[in-house]
Amino acid sequence: MGIENSRILNEDLIERIVTAETAASWIRDGMTLGLSGFTRAGDLKAIPDALVKRAETDPFKVNVFTGASLGSDIDRMFAEADIINKRLPFQADPRMRQGINDGSFHFVDQHLSHTSEMLRQGVLPEVDYAILEAVSIKEDGTIIPTTSVGNSLAFAMHAEHIIVEINEAQPEALEGVHDLYAPAPQGQREPIPLVSPEERIGAEGIQVDPAKIKGIIFTNQLDSPSTVTPPDAETRDIAGHLIDFLKEEVRLGRLPENLVPLQSGIGSVANAVFRGLLDSDFEHLQVYSEVLQDSVIDLLDAGKVDFASGCSFTLSEDKMKQVFSNFEDYRDRVVLRPQEISNHPEIIRRLGLISINTAVEMDIYGNVNSTHVGGTKMMNGIGGSGDFARNSRLGMFVTKSIAKDGDISSIVPFVPHVDHTEHDVDVIVTDQGYADLRGLAPRERARLIIERCAHPSYREQLHDYFEAALERGGQTPHMLEEALAWHREFETNGTMKKLVKS
């Protein structure tokens, strides 16, 4: 059996092996592509390059739907080649971000659990091609994903055609780690039968009619490594305050000693905060999250976490080598699911998760901005933070108290863009401390957040704002012209400090 046959067990599909250039030639202007990939994991390695090269002589624009952000510089290449009409639901590339903010193409910022539902409802454009990375294809046409699931199952189910990139750099040992389950249409579905993170309720691969698979390309390239940075003093302080809060919840009998399943957002701050659990007394933890980052692997290795359910492995280069060269050590303690299952409100509420997500900024009443700098410039997207914050047992948001060497306060009078309202935010944590907002009225929240979470260099300024706003009255006192002036001052003078009152 040839090397190609060892990864393709359906002999009829062997004749559909093509080059990336041939597959790219099938894409037409105006089509919608559903690409595998979730936070730099399990994304495509060959067809994006071929599409960009084709665009040099044959310009076209397509809609690009994914699970989340992509690695392999795909978003950068697509943006520079100007082949994007519409992008959703999440991205994290500076060049793509620039195109979004200057209006070069459209970006639809979605809760990550919503994309598959919108495809099922027929709200989004029909997917012409699902282009998926795989470990292998089984005899019956079942596609075994690689290091992420994302929206791949939904794309395959709803696409007219499927193209598969079989990546020989990914270990065949990944087969069996996935749990592929799709709910029935709304109004016809049964409860999703998942009651604990370690359960499996679906298939080990993406089950499709082999006739839908139009082409297969072979690649041999690992995922792009994670870009997380090591913990610093501020993120270690955030982790310490968060753990102090959890200890107090255990002491008060509100949480068991092994807590409840944990979710953590993506990025350096979230990874560093989660890693802080290594130095805690908590044991026999479970993770039910989107992304399994380095910190989750560290917690598994230390015996702190018993089981981790996610949507992708998003790892640093060293951690990637460690995990995938010894995957048998992990395969019985991890599972990868579609993002509509990892982020499903029904399951999040049933499991009673503790969710820990990051914020760009927060205001004194507990509203959170996760996406827009200055209220207008998109960073990455809301991702899954809204799925988890609204439905978790505890919705927690973390951020450093200041940015830009202290010229920006991450605690402001009023966020200029609201992703998570005060109603969905239970606890906020900064390097200064934590504020438990549950059961507090707006005026109570404001004083607590300023005292516990704001940086000392901004506390007096925030207190002055709040006391002046109280004179105007209201359940949520504000001086809107003054509140938003904080951001205007930064744009004009490069700092929020010593705000000149209007």
Side-chain angles (χ1 to χ4, degrees), residues 351-425:
L351 297 182
L353 302 186
I354 296 171
S355 74
I356 306 165
N357 288 284
T358 55
V360 172
E361 60 188 343
M362 310 162 180
D363 69 31
I364 60 175
Y365 295 111
N367 299 295
V368 170
N369 172 18
S370 295
T371 58
H372 286 73
V373 174
T376 62
K377 294 181 175 62
M378 170 60 70
M379 280 291 291
N380 301 329
I382 195 169
S385 56
D387 296 324
F388 289 99
R390 174 158 290 188
N391 299 291
S392 289
R393 176 173 183 161
L394 275 171
M396 306 178 72
F397 282 90
V398 301
T399 190
K400 295 183 179 183
S401 60
I402 53 174
K404 298 291 185 183
D405 296 323
D407 285 323
I408 292 177
S409 173
S410 299
I411 305 296
V412 295
F414 195 11
V415 290
H417 179 91
V418 181
D419 291 295
H420 312 283
T421 75
E422 60 187 276
H423 310 291
D424 299 328
V425 180

Side-chain angles (χ1 to χ4, degrees), residues 81-102:
D82 194 27
I83 67 173
I84 298 289
N85 172 52
K86 183 174 290 184
R87 177 78 170 85
L88 65 80
F90 187 90
Q91 59 75 46
D93 178 79
R95 181 61 184 85
M96 179 70 74
R97 185 181 305 136
Q98 178 184 336
I100 291 168
N101 288 319
D102 67 23

Side-chain angles (χ1 to χ4, degrees), residues 133-185:
E133 184 177 79
V135 170
S136 61
I137 304 176
K138 311 307 286 182
E139 294 92 335
D140 62 356
T142 295
I143 300 166
I144 305 299
T146 58
T147 51
S148 72
V149 179
N151 279 320
S152 292
L153 176 60
F155 293 152
M157 292 175 63
H158 295 282
E160 183 176 357
H161 304 290
I162 298 172
I163 300 171
V164 180
E165 283 194 3
I166 294 181
N167 189 345
E168 295 175 294
Q170 300 292 9
E172 292 183 81
L174 282 166
E175 182 176 347
V177 78
H178 310 92
D179 185 43
L180 282 296
Y181 177 92

